[in-house]
């Protein structure tokens, strides 16, 4: 392989690596956003469960226990 072929191959591989790295960064950002959304959903669910349980305790008059 002569120097010109080597340089062309080198540049192509670098371009491919950079494109793959950019794609990975985009996916990482999307994943981070999804994880944050899931965390918020868990917090809302937890708050709803706590509120439901709190409402059940005082008015449980004939709860069967």
């Amino acid at each position: 392989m002569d120097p010109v072929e080597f340089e062309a191959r080198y540049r192509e591989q670098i371009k491919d690596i950079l494109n793959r790295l950019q794609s990975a960064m985009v996916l990482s950002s999307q994943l981070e956003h999804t994880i944050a959304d899931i965390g918020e959903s868990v917090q809302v669910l937890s708050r709803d469960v706590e509120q439901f349980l709190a409402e059940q305790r005082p008015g449980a008059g004939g709860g069967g226990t």
Side-chain angles (χ1 to χ4, degrees):
M1 172 184 320
D2 67 24
V4 173
E5 289 175 310
F6 176 79
E7 182 180 355
R9 187 173 178 187
Y10 176 84
R11 288 179 183 270
E12 189 61 32
Q13 288 177 338
I14 290 293
K15 187 172 112 179
D16 180 58
I17 290 167
L18 291 174
N19 284 338
R20 290 169 49 200
L21 181 58
Q22 183 178 21
S23 294
M25 293 297 293
V26 169
L27 290 172
S28 175
S29 177
Q30 291 172 343
L31 180 58
E32 183 179 347
H33 180 71
T34 299
I35 289 170
D37 284 348
I38 291 168
E40 290 176 21
S41 295
V42 168
Q43 287 179 346
V44 168
L45 179 60
S46 178
R47 190 172 34 226
D48 289 349
V49 168
E50 287 178 12
Q51 182 178 355
F52 174 78
L53 293 175
E55 290 171 359
Q56 296 304 307
R57 286 185 197 125
T65 52

